[in-house]
Amino acid sequence: MTPPPIQQADQIFVTLQHRVVGYLPIKFQSIADVILSVVAIVLVFALLFAITTVLERKGLGRIQNRYGPNRVGPAGFFQPIADGVKSLTKEDLVPRTADQLVHFMAPVLLVIAAFLAYAVLPVGRNMALVDLNAGVLFFFAVGTLVELAVFMAGWSSRNKYSLLGAMRAIAQMISYEVPLVLASIVVIMAAGSLSTVAIVNMQTGYSGIWPHWFVLTPWGFAGFNLFMIAATAESNRSPFDLPEGESEIIAGYYIEYSGFKFALFFLGEYLGMFATSGLAITLFLGGWAAPFSFLTWIPSYLWFFAKLLLMIAIFIWIRGTLPRLRMDQLMNFAWQFMLPMTLINVFAAGVWHFMPGGVIRWLVCAALLIVPAFLLSRGLKQGKKFAARTYRFAD
Amino acid sequence: MTATFLILAAITIAGTVATMAMRNLVHCVLALTLGFAGLAALYLQLGAQFVGLTQILVYVGAVAILAVFVIMMTQKPAQTTESIFSSFWLAGSLIAALVFAVLGWAIVSSSTSSRPLPPQAEAAVRPIGDALMHRFVLPLEIMGLLLTAALIGAVVVAMQEKRGTA
Amino acid sequence: MSSLTGYLLVSALIFSIGLAGALTRRSAILVLIGIELMLNAANLNFIAFWRYGPNAQALTGVMFAIFSIGIAAAEAAVGLGIVLAVYRHSKTTELDRMNSMKG
């Protein structure tokens, strides 16, 4: 019995993999299975990185009223190839005083950590590399390796700007990791599982035409927004790009990197952004599930990548729109707004769980979130008088 | 005694030895992260997935980074050429070697050590969560209290005292 | 030699290395790290005994390791805070130099 064509298209990569692996002797099948998946992940996301660099430069160009790259290939879309050749052929400079081994290991560790995170992301139905029992925990554990890589890069370069950039980056990443984890806890509470595959499976049902995505509840919506703000800060994207603030500390922790190692840093940064976006999609936006019940005939992986491209577009839009924050604003925002809001959100998710379904549940949870958000952002600062700013060091 | 175990044990021990033997403090911490990662891999190999991942999250992500921050805030610009070991290093290493000898003797001669590997599944997350919420709920609450106290205590101890009333 | 012996020996070795470091290094930060290593060696023992124990469903070893990791984190935070405070007072983190109480 052959499954209907819709299902065939959905599972084409899974069946293809089984077909290819089936040709090998039994002894090598399990390892070939893993290698094939890893190669696929590396190729697909590296390609996505190449596409994103062009999209980002063109999108920013459009926002800033200029053209962006338009010379290589049709409408400049072969620009990443030119960039790749350029970074490969450039001289790889290492400062004489640098710590050679650590300086070399930093970009490698960053890229490895970024790729490891994809192991638990389900990019389609039956298309997660491993279904770990503690998949979300694995994702965050791997994410901490990024901090280590950033520190290694900044410290080993023996440059004050790179050290300052690394310290800023680590302080920022640690501060925003707390709200990031707390924002995803609401989903773990609702799904009752740390496995990414189980979390997506929870969201594949439909009421009428509407999906059961977690973002379509008050706590899910707030959690998604908080998660995305924290994810922007975690991946050092504008408006939280202080660690590499060009106008103050030149390029932060990768000031002393050139050639291919710089390209690796660039790759690692974008891969981190895709991975956190992918986790946001998995946790809140239903993973590979279609947004309406009548659209389920489109293969699941296409939905995942469509959502991922949408998230990337939002990231580019934000980068082109918002100015960079100050360091104290950044920290205050993390500890005085994000942290209390995520804690309140956990409480709201608990209330949601124990109240009977209906409109009242919606109103109570929404009120539980909107009132503190207003108070924390505007209300409590209304009567506050701001002292005149003093400049202690720059008169 | 599988090859995986031997490799992981070698990585872990190499990392910890390097931590205690290197001159540069930052190198020490980087070697330490290697040792912690090796330990986490050993936990994963033993089937304790949750503990292994928590180990990476807490030790590599928090403790090592914290140590690095303190090193950055306390290190002097000029590297000293004097010994990295204290004056009574001989006595210290003798004590440590003695401890290892006693422990090793106890382990090798013990009867429990020759226990075969029971065929059982790994520690899934759900039973751990259930245990934390039912049987171990009091220790969990005490742990939360301890961590809060440690958070406040660390901030109070490490905070710069304000000079004057400015 | 069964593999439980292997795990226990690795754990004993890590404990001894941590002890040696805590006893011999001059830097206060590394002494703290040595104590962390000893705690980690104990954790490895808990996990190994849990895995090879007769009653693995009770999860006692895993629970103890989890609580131990939490306590170690608290200990590291407070310990490093104390190192910072001492540094601010005596301008050094080397334990040999902190001898102002000596007659």
Side-chain angles (χ1 to χ4, degrees):
Chain A
M1 188 188 93
T2 47
I6 295 170
Q7 215 175 321
Q8 269 180 353
D10 190 27
Q11 294 295 303
I12 183 163
F13 292 113
V14 180
T15 40
L16 199 68
Q17 190 185 8
H18 282 307
R19 195 70 59 79
V20 170
V21 170
Y23 289 124
L24 293 168
I26 308 262
K27 211 171 144 192
F28 302 114
Q29 275 191 2
S30 61
I31 191 150
D33 212 33
V34 172
I35 289 174
L36 216 60
S37 310
V38 169
V39 168
I41 286 175
V42 168
L43 284 182
V44 165
F45 283 97
L47 186 70
L48 189 65
F49 162 68
I51 296 170
T52 306
T53 51
V54 177
L55 285 183
E56 170 144 41
R57 290 174 68 180
K58 286 190 97 67
L60 284 182
R62 190 53 59 91
I63 290 173
Q64 292 160 358
N65 205 7
R66 56 189 171 81
Y67 287 119
N70 62 353
R71 283 289 174 266
V72 193
F77 259 91
F78 290 158
Q79 185 70 34
I81 300 171
D83 285 344
V85 171
K86 187 181 94 176
S87 68
L88 273 173
T89 50
K90 266 195 173 178
E91 188 187 354
D92 180 20
L93 287 172
V94 180
R96 190 179 297 162
T97 50
D99 200 308
Q100 306 286 336
L101 180 67
V102 181
H103 191 264
F104 170 74
M105 286 303 292
V108 178
L109 180 66
L110 184 75
V111 171
I112 290 176
F115 269 124
L116 270 179
Y118 292 100
V120 291
L121 285 186
V123 294
R125 189 177 279 127
N126 304 330
M127 279 170 77
L129 178 56
V130 280
D131 178 14
L132 280 185
N133 211 312
V136 180
L137 194 67
F138 174 85
F139 190 94
F140 290 126
V142 167
T144 60
L145 294 180
V146 174
E147 285 164 29
L148 197 69
V150 164
F151 169 75
M152 280 162 71
W155 177 79
S156 66
S157 297
R158 292 278 193 283
N159 181 315
K160 62 183 171 194
Y161 294 117
S162 62
L163 189 60
L164 276 174
M167 285 301 160
R168 278 187 183 188
I170 294 170
Q172 172 178 334
M173 281 171 163
I174 287 183
S175 305
Y176 278 90
E177 196 163 297
V178 180
L180 190 76
V181 174
L182 281 173
S184 46
I185 274 183
V186 287
V187 171
I188 294 162
M189 279 165 66
S193 171
L194 276 169
S195 152
T196 45
V197 175
I199 288 172
V200 173
N201 284 339
M202 283 282 293
Q203 304 179 63
T204 49
Y206 296 93
S207 313
I209 60 163
W210 299 104
H212 290 170
W213 295 359
F214 288 131
V215 74
L216 299 175
T217 54
W219 50 266
F221 184 71
F224 175 67
N225 283 310
L226 293 165
F227 186 95
M228 283 319 292
I229 294 171
T232 318
E234 278 286 299
S235 47
N236 293 336
R237 297 268 311 180
S238 178
F240 302 107
D241 58 347
L242 287 106
E244 49 203 83
E246 298 88 345
S247 50
E248 310 143 37
I249 50 174
I250 314 179
Y253 47 89
Y254 40 64
I255 182 170
E256 295 290 5
Y257 282 92
S258 53
F260 194 60
K261 287 187 200 151
F262 181 77
L264 281 184
F265 264 108
F266 213 59
L267 174 69
E269 188 151 305
Y270 274 82
L271 285 177
M273 179 180 108
F274 299 157
T276 33
S277 306
L279 187 68
I281 292 168
T282 305
L283 291 178
F284 297 101
L285 296 181
W288 41 260
F292 300 107
S293 60
F294 52 83
L295 287 176
T296 42
W297 54 273
I298 298 177
S300 53
Y301 44 88
L302 287 186
W303 279 120
F304 181 86
F305 283 100
K307 288 173 192 172
L308 192 56
L309 281 174
L310 183 72
M311 304 291 274
I312 292 168
I314 292 174
F315 269 120
I316 295 171
W317 180 26
I318 289 173
R319 177 168 172 191
T321 315
L322 292 176
R324 185 180 298 149
L325 268 72
R326 263 192 346 249
M327 198 69 197
D328 60 324
Q329 291 171 331
L330 180 94
M331 287 297 163
N332 283 347
F333 186 64
W335 295 105
Q336 296 180 2
F337 181 79
M338 295 290 285
L339 186 61
M341 273 315 290
T342 46
L343 288 172
I344 291 165
N345 197 26
V346 170
F347 179 68
V351 170
W352 175 275
H353 183 74
F354 286 111
M355 274 178 79
V359 185
I360 301 174
R361 181 163 84 158
W362 260 90
L363 291 177
V364 167
C365 282
L368 260 176
L369 289 165
I370 292 169
V371 171
F374 176 76
L375 287 179
L376 282 171
S377 61
R378 188 88 19 105
L380 294 179
K381 295 199 174 68
Q382 213 99 108
K384 207 169 164 186
K385 286 202 177 61
F386 292 103
R389 283 190 68 183
T390 52
Y391 296 91
R392 274 188 298 164
F393 302 112
D395 272 326
Chain B
M1 201 59 65
T2 57
T4 329
F5 166 73
L6 288 178
I7 293 168
L8 291 178
I11 289 174
T12 311
I13 289 168
T16 47
V17 168
T19 308
M20 287 304 156
M22 279 192 172
R23 170 167 285 276
N24 190 325
L25 285 182
V26 175
H27 284 163
C28 289
V29 175
L30 293 179
L32 179 73
T33 56
L34 184 70
F36 283 155
L39 269 172
L42 280 176
Y43 296 164
L44 292 182
Q45 200 214 355
L46 281 168
Q49 201 178 79
F50 188 83
V51 183
L53 295 175
T54 312
Q55 164 93 2
I56 293 182
L57 197 64
V58 172
Y59 278 105
V60 179
V63 172
I65 297 286
L66 200 62
V68 154
F69 257 89
V70 174
I71 290 168
M72 287 290 126
M73 287 163 94
T74 58
Q75 216 176 21
K76 280 180 197 144
Q79 285 281 337
T80 50
T81 49
E82 50 191 323
S83 169
I84 52 171
F85 296 108
S86 64
S87 47
F88 44 90
W89 63 273
L90 194 65
S93 24
L94 266 180
I95 292 172
L98 211 67
V99 167
F100 178 66
V102 171
L103 283 178
W105 170 77
I107 290 165
V108 172
S109 62
S110 158
S111 62
T112 44
S113 309
S114 55
R115 201 178 277 165
L117 181 67
Q120 47 120 62
E122 55 188 297
V125 175
R126 183 171 279 278
I128 291 179
D130 282 340
L132 274 178
M133 282 299 135
H134 295 119
R135 215 177 122 207
F136 294 94
V137 71
L138 187 66
L140 182 74
E141 295 296 324
I142 294 172
M143 180 63 90
L145 196 66
L146 173 78
L147 283 174
T148 314
L151 176 74
I152 297 169
V155 169
V156 167
V157 167
M159 203 163 56
Q160 190 107 42
E161 292 143 51
K162 285 230 170 71
R163 302 261 156 83
T165 52
Chain C
M1 197 156 80
S2 85
S3 51
L4 177 59
T5 318
Y7 285 107
L8 295 185
L9 279 177
V10 168
S11 157
L13 195 54
I14 294 171
F15 184 87
S16 310
I17 294 166
L19 183 65
L23 288 178
T24 59
R25 289 299 295 244
R26 292 179 64 194
S27 163
I29 298 164
L30 274 174
V31 171
L32 269 174
I33 286 176
I35 295 169
E36 291 289 330
L37 277 181
M38 292 195 268
L39 280 168
N40 267 290
N43 279 353
L44 182 56
N45 258 3
F46 280 123
I47 300 286
F49 275 124
W50 161 77
R51 181 71 178 83
Y52 285 88
N55 188 10
Q57 293 315 310
L59 289 173
T60 317
V62 172
M63 284 301 152
F64 214 110
I66 290 171
F67 287 123
S68 159
I69 288 175
I71 288 173
E75 180 248 315
V78 175
L80 290 170
I82 290 173
V83 170
L84 265 189
V86 167
Y87 175 79
R88 206 166 285 131
H89 185 72
S90 63
K91 295 286 168 261
T92 181
T93 58
E94 300 195 339
L95 294 170
D96 288 13
R97 303 264 175 83
M98 298 173 193
N99 51 7
S100 56
M101 297 276 277
K102 231 181 202 170

